[in-house]
Amino acid sequence: MGYRMVVVGATGNVGREMLNILAEREFPLDDIAAVASPRSTGNVIDFGDSGRELKVQNIEHFDFTGWDMALFAAGSEASRAHAPRAAAAGCTVIDNSSLYRMDPDVPLIVPEVNPQAIDGYRRKNIIANPNCSTAQMVVALKPLHDAAGIRRVVVSTYQSVSGAGKKGMDELFEQSRNIFVGDANEPAFFTKQIAFNVIPHIDDFLDDGSTKEEWKMVVETKKILDPKIKVTATCVRVPVFVGHSESINIEFEREISAQEAQAILREAPGVMLVDKREDGGYVTPVEAVGEYATYVSRVRDDSTVENGLNLWCVSDNLRKGAALNAVQIAELLGRKHLQKAA
């Protein structure tokens, strides 16, 4: 006996990746529905490489009664309108938007980090998926925090345009082409040219000068990992199609060497340590695309603070940063609570 699963926003980048991963991981399904906005109704999309095609259904008319789980990847407005409706119908929502992440009655889950928090899902029948940049960072931080206690984190991100959706990817492609052929090249989606450039601005600015993306990394890390950890972030959009990278500086409560950290990370769930101190002995976004792991490289001591380390962290933001984490939450929910699959 398997689950009846709904993917909401199935025609978007993350929704399609959810379908791919459900098929790849052979998630135990009795039925699956692809749901999206009215403009996509009737389109046919692939269920990964399974050979099965799904006809897209209209979210406005979809009845969630009798469905076990719904993976939402349609943005905050769609989640606000339809997630409570799905939850009330008995369908547990795993939401990829930012809408519910800081709701005290909604668990914010990264399965390798805080699986025990999923027990709180019954309060609203909704589980939140974290921000893409937060998800990969806490996977790398968790085993180190357990070993030596993290006091402070300073992170600078190098986030791919796929984090901004299809429009972001299209703009990078068009601008790159225009530059090579000499056509006009005015930004339309991003605030400045993204091709051959970097933009230190993701999401809206807040009163203190930080952006909402930076704020998310701070508050989500505290909720998922430990409220006592101090976090400061600078989030930057870079001309990479898929794959987020992060330069992370960590200050610990207790002494931990780079060699000890490497040994810990080598055995950590969800982490792949690739750290050779030679040309090419590290991971870049290109190698992370299509992979499940959170890659860690460049682990080294920071002599400027007591008990400090630096590391480089890379992951496929459409996977671990979004779709994969959501499917892992669904797997965890099934194992711990729903227990329908044999």
Side-chain angles (χ1 to χ4, degrees), residues 18 21 31 106 121 130 136 145 189 244 254 257 275 293 296 298 322 332:
M18 286 174 171
I21 292 170
D31 199 3
V106 174
Y121 86 97
Q136 69 184 67
H145 183 52
F189 180 73
H244 286 0
R254 298 179 292 280
S257 68
D275 193 12
V296 176
R298 301 291 321 281
L332 177 64

Side-chain angles (χ1 to χ4, degrees), residues 240-316:
V240 170
F241 282 104
V242 178
H244 286 0
S245 305
E246 297 170 347
S247 172
I248 307 174
N249 175 262
I250 313 164
E251 184 180 350
F252 294 90
E253 295 172 357
R254 298 179 292 280
E255 184 177 357
I256 181 171
S257 68
Q259 290 72 28
E260 289 172 319
Q262 288 169 323
I264 290 165
L265 290 164
R266 197 172 283 116
E267 303 300 323
V271 174
M272 181 70 71
L273 181 74
V274 180
D275 193 12
K276 298 177 181 179
R277 295 177 178 180
E278 60 187 41
D279 292 352
Y282 41 81
V283 173
T284 63
V286 169
E287 290 100 62
V289 173
E291 301 294 333
Y292 288 156
T294 294
Y295 292 92
V296 176
S297 307
R298 301 291 321 281
V299 181
R300 60 205 188 277
D301 295 316
D302 175 9
S303 61
T304 67
V305 295
E306 190 174 3
N307 307 328
L309 289 177
N310 292 297
L311 58 83
W312 174 252
C313 177
V314 179
S315 191
D316 182 329

